[in-house]
Amino acid sequence: NDRQSVWVREVSGDLSVANDRGSVKVEEVGGRVEVRNDRGDISVRLPEDVRHPYTLRTDRNRIEVHVPSGAAVSIYAKAHRGKVVTDFPLDVSIRGRSSIARGELNGGGPEIRLLTDRGDIHILSDGR
């Protein structure tokens, strides 16, 4: 998709989205999720019971992930020339021009991999 916003909601299987210069919003996906968005924001709301990995990548924009308080996931986030902001007790470090956060929530689980160049990553509690 080019220069359009994409909103995907309530999908039971796997999801792969490639977009350019529009926002991507994903909510309640039951399968594996891969989103590649060039120059566009990505916003994802994880389900309570995450069973598959998520890989989210963007250039020059923001990634925002809302994580339910009980979700058991492993997080790896890298913002090159940006920062990682999190509501959770993740190990956040600076390496050169990158901010990196990693850690396990509720004992760990499927990997949530977040990558951006020249953008920020926000890992937020969604209060569920």
Side-chain angles (χ1 to χ4, degrees), residues 8-97:
V8 180
R9 192 161 184 256
E10 297 181 8
V11 173
S12 59
D14 294 347
L15 174 69
S16 179
V17 175
N19 199 33
D20 187 18
R21 299 179 197 201
S23 64
V24 174
K25 185 175 182 180
V26 175
E27 294 182 5
E28 302 294 334
V29 173
R32 175 183 304 268
V33 174
E34 290 193 30
V35 176
R36 172 73 180 165
N37 195 14
D38 288 324
R39 296 187 230 172
D41 291 341
I42 299 171
S43 175
V44 171
R45 185 171 302 279
L46 296 178
E48 189 75 42
D49 183 17
V50 178
R51 295 180 181 210
H52 301 278
Y54 281 59
T55 301
L56 313 175
R57 301 173 190 265
T58 188
D59 292 323
R60 299 182 184 95
N61 278 81
R62 167 184 171 127
I63 297 174
E64 184 174 283
V65 177
H66 298 267
V67 182
S69 59
V73 294
S74 299
I75 293 181
Y76 176 82
K78 181 178 179 184
H80 184 65
R81 292 183 267 190
K83 66 180 185 264
V84 178
V85 178
T86 179
D87 289 342
F88 296 97
L90 300 174
D91 176 28
V92 180
S93 60
I94 305 296
R95 292 211 185 112
R97 299 172 77 177

